[in-house]
Amino acid sequence: MELKEQLQPHAVLIPLPLQGHITPFTHLAMKLASKGFTITFVDTESTHQKIATAQSLKDDDNPFSHGQKCGLDIRYAKISDGFPLSFDRMANASQFVEGLIHVFQAHVDDFIENLVLSKPNPPISCIIADSFHVWASTIAEKYNLVNVSFWTEPATVLTVYYHMDLLKSNGHFPCHDKCEDTIRYIPGVQAIEPADLPSYCQNADPSTVMPRFVFKCLEDAQKADFVIGNTVQELESSAISALQEQQPFYAIGPVFPTSFTKGTISTSLLPASDCTDWLNSKQDGTVLYISFGSLAKLNKQDIQEIAQGILISKVSFIWVLRHNILGSGERNILPLGFEEETTGRGLVVTWCSQLAVLSHPAVGGFLTHCGWNSILESIWCKVPMVCFPIFTDQFTNRKLVVDDWRIGVNLCTGRLIRKEVVAENIGRIMSKSDELRKNIEKTKMILQNALSDEGSLEKNLNQFIEDMKNKILQKK
């Protein structure tokens, strides 16, 4: 076997089958393929069906066809997640997560074994699995592959998770009483309030399915040869340094599409409305974009209070309201007469291309659940945020946006939403506050510098590739 073939890594990429994970994994596949990797990208059959339906693709089409035409060696595969295609994964989330813990590994194992036996050229050398998979270390060891964990959330969140022992010994987890003292003992995190910890660290019962799943995944991720993170070195330098004392960690973010607003790959699992013509009719910086992501559930009262706050604020807006946002299937969730009262200045859609909306000059603010992809995209488009975290990493993400980087405001204090407070904070974000605009301009420059040819992203990515190639040679 020639040295050139030995040094051409063939990576199998397996994202968690959720929108917020599939998107950065897809862009990572393109980035690594452009660096000379052979990529085998593995979707679940359910994910592929959703993307195909949303994009009106034929069943044998794949999201990487454009990259393949451009000469990138990206191979595409689909495997079962253990459930029938007709099974509603979001409506039965606990059951689905149990399946990801106990069943999905067998399908991955079967796929990798068949791939190895097929003797692909070049041979498989590493697996890049989502950090939220529980099986990566077992599979990597069984097939003698380099084990790379891809962390799709901020480094600060991973640092918190890696120091659960400190939270336990200091009585902050599991927290049965109201713990209000500031946490100052986590390496790399200067100070954090208990309410800003990831939701699974705030859970009084860690034996329920979601905390159990998350902690099992993190236990496995700590066995990885390398961890790559969708974050920016300069934005989270302290947390990243703390992680690097635990295991090799590389900040290779922001993991964006090659052409930011005109990505040749659509990763959307839902059919998207085109809002361009409507936005073109609005003045620059006057539209508030509202989206709570692809997964989070809200209650009807919160949505009604937010809607009333929008009415009071009189702001123009695009509001993404998924059909399943309540989890109950109820469709009439806005206040009576809301859409009539906001005709002309408001647009309610079930889904849209977030990149296309945020990058439009008419958009001046983003009311967000604080998903990490949303925050990075908002920074890139210089759109300040109104923060309404709902679960998982979003509480910690809010802290970064509002308290640390000062590029956003809170929707409300605590979990109680009041329409007057909503209106007030929408007004703050849409008033073109000099401080917010100045801060987000600076933060955008940090992302821009990271993405430059001499930036931290390129340096860290190249270092990761070099270290990984050395690791591959050690395993031969």
Side-chain angles (χ1 to χ4, degrees):
M1 190 182 289
E2 292 181 6
L3 185 64
K4 184 182 176 190
E5 189 179 287
Q6 284 183 324
L7 292 179
Q8 184 182 351
H10 181 169
V12 179
L13 269 65
I14 313 183
L16 193 71
L18 297 173
Q19 184 73 75
H21 296 251
I22 291 161
T23 300
F25 256 88
T26 302
H27 302 321
L28 176 67
M30 293 289 283
K31 194 177 284 291
L32 292 176
S34 69
K35 292 274 188 184
F37 276 61
T38 292
I39 301 292
T40 294
F41 192 98
V42 182
D43 260 340
T44 65
E45 289 165 353
S46 169
T47 296
H48 175 79
Q49 184 190 56
K50 285 175 186 165
I51 290 173
T53 303
Q55 312 306 323
S56 303
L57 302 175
K58 299 189 186 105
D59 192 50
D60 56 350
D61 286 346
N62 79 70
F64 296 99
S65 53
H66 181 83
Q68 290 164 343
K69 285 173 193 164
C70 294
L72 299 180
D73 190 359
I74 304 183
R75 305 159 193 189
Y76 183 71
K78 301 166 283 188
I79 63 174
S80 171
D81 59 13
F83 293 91
L85 286 175
S86 59
F87 178 75
D88 189 335
R89 288 149 180 80
M90 293 307 99
N92 302 281
S94 294
Q95 195 179 343
F96 179 47
V97 168
E98 292 285 9
L100 289 176
I101 296 173
H102 300 294
V103 182
F104 188 48
Q105 179 178 336
H107 293 278
V108 174
D109 195 331
D110 188 51
F111 172 78
I112 299 285
E113 182 178 31
N114 289 330
L115 195 54
V116 169
L117 291 172
S118 73
K119 297 190 168 133
N121 183 21
I124 308 163
S125 47
C126 74
I127 186 164
I128 302 180
D130 200 301
S131 302
F132 287 101
H133 281 312
V134 300
W135 42 257
S137 63
T138 307
I139 300 281
E141 188 177 349
K142 182 175 178 179
Y143 297 101
N144 196 34
L145 303 172
V146 175
N147 178 11
V148 181
S149 186
F150 182 29
W151 180 252
T152 57
E153 296 177 359
T156 303
V157 175
L158 187 57
T159 308
V160 170
Y161 280 138
Y162 270 19
H163 292 93
M164 290 298 293
D165 56 332
L166 293 178
L167 290 172
K168 285 175 185 171
S169 62
N170 283 275
H172 283 107
F173 179 81
C175 193
H176 298 285
D177 304 315
K178 196 147 182 73
C179 304
E180 294 184 348
D181 51 315
T182 302
I183 298 165
R184 302 184 189 276
Y185 50 76
I186 298 175
V189 182
Q190 193 175 1
I192 188 166
E193 301 302 323
D196 292 331
L197 293 172
S199 62
Y200 306 124
C201 298
Q202 299 184 43
N203 200 313
D205 182 6
S207 68
T208 53
V209 64
M210 280 312 298
R212 197 159 43 81
F213 170 63
V214 169
F215 301 143
K216 196 171 173 61
C217 294
L218 288 155
E219 193 180 306
D220 194 76
Q222 290 183 57
K223 299 173 186 172
D225 295 307
F226 307 104
V227 180
I228 51 177
N230 185 18
T231 189
V232 181
Q233 185 82 37
E234 293 80 2
L235 277 185
E236 296 192 276
S237 54
S238 299
I240 289 165
S241 296
L243 285 172
Q244 287 168 338
E245 291 181 18
Q246 303 279 323
Q247 70 189 119
F249 181 94
Y250 306 78
I252 61 157
V255 181
F256 281 158
T258 317
S259 170
F260 185 73
T261 57
K262 296 184 174 65
T264 50
I265 300 177
S266 180
T267 57
S268 179
L269 301 180
L270 294 167
S273 300
D274 186 348
C275 305
T276 311
D277 288 345
W278 188 89
L279 284 166
N280 287 343
S281 70
K282 304 299 172 192
Q283 291 182 350
D284 288 2
T286 59
V287 175
L288 176 71
Y289 172 58
I290 308 161
S291 175
F292 304 120
S294 60
L295 199 59
K297 300 281 193 290
L298 274 74
N299 64 54
K300 188 170 180 177
Q301 186 182 341
D302 285 350
I303 288 174
Q304 298 247 332
E305 288 291 327
I306 290 167
Q308 296 288 357
I310 288 166
L311 289 175
I312 295 167
S313 74
K314 302 197 181 306
V315 72
S316 295
F317 64 90
I318 290 177
W319 192 347
V320 176
L321 270 180
R322 304 184 330 266
H323 290 317
N324 63 348
I325 198 160
L326 292 182
S328 63
E330 187 180 350
R331 295 293 177 94
N332 300 319
I333 53 179
L334 290 167
L336 198 62
F338 176 84
E339 292 192 65
E340 290 77 8
E341 199 169 332
T342 57
T343 300
R345 71 176 176 91
L347 183 64
V348 178
V349 296
T350 54
W351 198 247
C352 67
S353 165
Q354 184 158 288
L355 293 181
V357 171
L358 283 174
S359 60
H360 196 285
V363 174
F366 182 11
L367 171 45
T368 173
H369 65 309
C370 297
W372 187 233
N373 292 324
S374 293
I375 288 170
L376 291 175
E377 290 163 6
S378 204
I379 292 169
W380 185 259
C381 297
K382 297 189 289 189
V383 177
M385 288 159 267
V386 183
C387 296
F388 178 49
I390 298 165
F391 72 145
T392 189
D393 60 321
Q394 296 159 14
F395 298 102
T396 314
N397 301 352
R398 180 221 64 82
K399 173 201 183 301
L400 294 172
V401 168
V402 178
D403 302 342
D404 296 7
W405 304 332
R406 301 188 181 279
I407 54 175
V409 301
N410 293 322
L411 179 70
C412 53
T413 306
R415 293 295 297 161
L416 196 62
I417 297 180
R418 287 287 172 261
K419 58 191 177 187
E420 296 83 7
V421 180
V422 170
E424 181 188 336
N425 286 318
I426 287 173
R428 283 174 66 197
I429 214 82
M430 298 303 291
S431 67
K432 299 183 174 57
S433 149
D434 284 344
E435 188 196 355
L436 282 172
R437 304 281 159 184
K438 205 183 296 176
N439 290 343
I440 205 156
E441 186 82 48
K442 275 192 227 162
T443 316
K444 159 72 185 279
M445 284 304 298
I446 291 170
L447 264 64
Q448 210 156 4
N449 292 337
L451 282 164
S452 69
D453 291 343
E454 299 298 316
S456 58
L457 186 163
E458 196 69 14
K459 285 179 183 169
N460 293 340
L461 185 60
N462 289 338
Q463 187 64 55
F464 159 67
I465 291 169
E466 186 184 330
D467 293 347
M468 192 177 72
K469 283 181 176 177
N470 288 332
K471 193 77 177 175
I472 290 167
L473 287 173
Q474 287 169 27
K475 284 185 171 284
K476 288 193 180 293

